[in-house]
Amino acid sequence: MVQYLLIKCVHSFTLLFGILRFRIPKFWVLLFITLLLFTLDARAARLAIVIDDFGYRVYNENKILQMPAAISIAVLPDSPYGREMAQKAYKQGREVLIHLPMAPMSKQPLEKNTLHPAMSSKEVENIIHDAIKKVPHAIGVNNHMGSAMTSNLAGMKKVMNALSQYRLYFLDSVTIGNTQVAKASMGTPVQVLRRNIFLDDVQTEAEVLHQLNRAITLARKQGSAIAIGHPYPTTIRALQQGLATLPDDIELVTPSMLLNHSLTSKQNNSQISPLTKQKCMKSAEIKSVTVLESKLDYFRIVGETLVPSVIVDVLNQGLEKLQNSTSKQEKRHSTGHLRPQKDKIRENKTDAHKKMSVCPDF
């Protein structure tokens, strides 16, 4: 991991110094970098939308299932149509979560098998195991209500310990401010996500659209955001309208796409032999060279769009000189017949692709 990061840093600094070496006026350098960062940042805004309470309103839920497949659903385990809707969503390539009932602070009608803080670890395990069987294809869990449960550290530790037996993430719906979900997950393999926006606390189309716009703004600001809604008629109409005019710089994603997938690789890293690790590190180095070439191409494309042609010419000269220098260094270290650099990188990329199944993300 450290070696790979060092390689990436060296390439980045080499590129930067290669550009600055030509003594371009600071104004143009700063403008170029600022506009480049703005362009990259504009592509990074990701929005995940989860619709809760699936399994009771088939007509409304089918309207949700007509929306983009990136819209995920959370299914109540003991609902009459939960299994059917989970199967249907899965066939669409949609992400399915278990909408696990948890005790609220307030007194109100509860779902069957609602988790309470006072339950034993075994009771919690049995309910979660049963819920997994009732909601096929689920890869995540989020809480239905649950302010009393999620604010109780001991209770949530029982939940996280039970979930540790399965490959499920936990999306905290954040129904209470002092939620203990993240703290309870520490020391377990369960990854936790956190809801940012509730779309339909106020059930009007105007308010749902307002909250959707808040989620978009937040995604732009911090790179990603998660919004939760429900299969209400007003929510459906608002989403139909809002998703049809979703800005180009917003990418709809599933919650699992916002997870730190490198954690899974680290857990499996200890099972990989030293020889395989060594080969994987070499593969990482090869990938970094390929990334360097793609970055050079990207700088050229963006430069031609954003800065005057005089600056572009100077930058291109610097980038080509840097690329030629990199090629010569690699040739010095190689032996035998030298093939063209492009063919070498293409071959290395193929080798790296073959090793993807055994190599963790270093």
Side-chain angles (χ1 to χ4, degrees), residues 106-147:
S106 57
K107 291 184 178 180
Q108 52 186 296
L110 301 178
E111 284 279 321
K112 181 183 176 182
N113 293 321
T114 295
L115 294 174
H116 294 267
M119 284 181 171
S120 67
S121 296
K122 190 62 179 175
E123 287 175 299
V124 171
E125 285 178 16
N126 289 340
I127 288 174
I128 288 175
H129 179 71
D130 187 57
I132 290 170
K133 289 196 295 184
K134 290 176 179 175
V135 183
H137 313 297
I139 66 168
V141 174
N142 74 335
N143 53 294
H144 172 64
M145 299 191 287
S147 53

Side-chain angles (χ1 to χ4, degrees), residues 302-350:
V302 176
E304 289 170 5
T305 307
L306 300 178
V307 298
S309 58
V310 176
I311 305 300
V312 173
D313 291 340
V314 176
L315 286 172
N316 280 341
Q317 290 172 18
L319 294 175
E320 286 170 8
K321 194 168 183 179
L322 174 63
Q323 200 168 11
N324 291 335
S325 173
T326 304
S327 299
K328 288 177 183 177
Q329 287 176 6
E330 288 175 356
K331 288 178 181 178
R332 284 195 207 104
H333 291 293
S334 63
T335 57
H337 180 67
L338 296 179
R339 282 175 286 180
Q341 185 63 19
K342 285 185 179 178
D343 291 340
K344 184 177 180 181
I345 289 175
R346 191 180 297 115
E347 177 186 295
N348 287 338
K349 283 174 70 179
T350 304

Side-chain angles (χ1 to χ4, degrees), residues 24-215:
I24 300 170
K26 290 182 180 179
F27 170 77
W28 291 115
V29 174
L30 290 173
L31 178 63
F32 177 76
I33 292 172
T34 301
L35 290 174
L36 180 60
L37 289 174
F38 176 80
T39 304
L40 291 171
D41 184 61
R43 299 182 179 188
R46 298 186 294 174
L47 176 63
I49 298 176
V50 179
I51 305 300
D52 282 351
D53 292 354
F54 255 64
Y56 282 103
R57 308 172 182 87
V58 174
Y59 178 80
N60 289 359
E61 290 160 15
N62 279 326
K63 295 281 188 183
I64 298 292
L65 296 184
Q66 293 171 9
M67 295 180 185
I71 306 295
S72 304
I73 67 166
V75 178
L76 287 159
D78 288 292
S79 58
Y81 307 105
R83 176 178 290 274
E84 174 189 336
M85 301 312 290
Q87 295 277 20
K88 193 169 183 178
Y90 174 74
K91 288 178 182 177
Q92 295 179 327
R94 203 175 295 272
E95 195 155 296
V96 178
L97 292 83
I98 298 168
H99 198 35
L100 198 60
M102 295 187 179
M105 292 286 192
S106 57
K107 291 184 178 180
Q108 52 186 296
L110 301 178
E111 284 279 321
K112 181 183 176 182
N113 293 321
T114 295
L115 294 174
H116 294 267
M119 284 181 171
S120 67
S121 296
K122 190 62 179 175
E123 287 175 299
V124 171
E125 285 178 16
N126 289 340
I127 288 174
I128 288 175
H129 179 71
D130 187 57
I132 290 170
K133 289 196 295 184
K134 290 176 179 175
V135 183
H137 313 297
I139 66 168
V141 174
N142 74 335
N143 53 294
H144 172 64
M145 299 191 287
S147 53
M149 187 70 179
T150 57
S151 61
N152 186 288
L153 181 58
M156 286 310 300
K157 280 185 175 180
K158 296 171 191 174
V159 172
M160 293 301 167
N161 287 333
L163 289 176
S164 296
Q165 304 172 43
Y166 311 95
R167 298 177 65 86
L168 297 167
Y169 66 83
F170 192 98
L171 169 59
D172 186 357
S173 299
V174 194
T175 54
I176 192 167
N178 67 327
T179 173
Q180 301 295 305
V181 170
K183 192 174 180 180
S185 71
M186 292 179 182
T188 75
V190 182
Q191 293 194 61
V192 170
L193 295 169
R194 184 182 175 97
R195 185 272 309 168
N196 301 110
I197 300 288
F198 270 130
L199 294 173
D200 47 20
D201 276 346
V202 178
Q203 294 178 41
T204 66
E205 289 181 48
E207 182 61 21
V208 174
L209 283 171
H210 173 66
Q211 295 302 326
L212 180 61
N213 286 328
R214 281 189 63 214

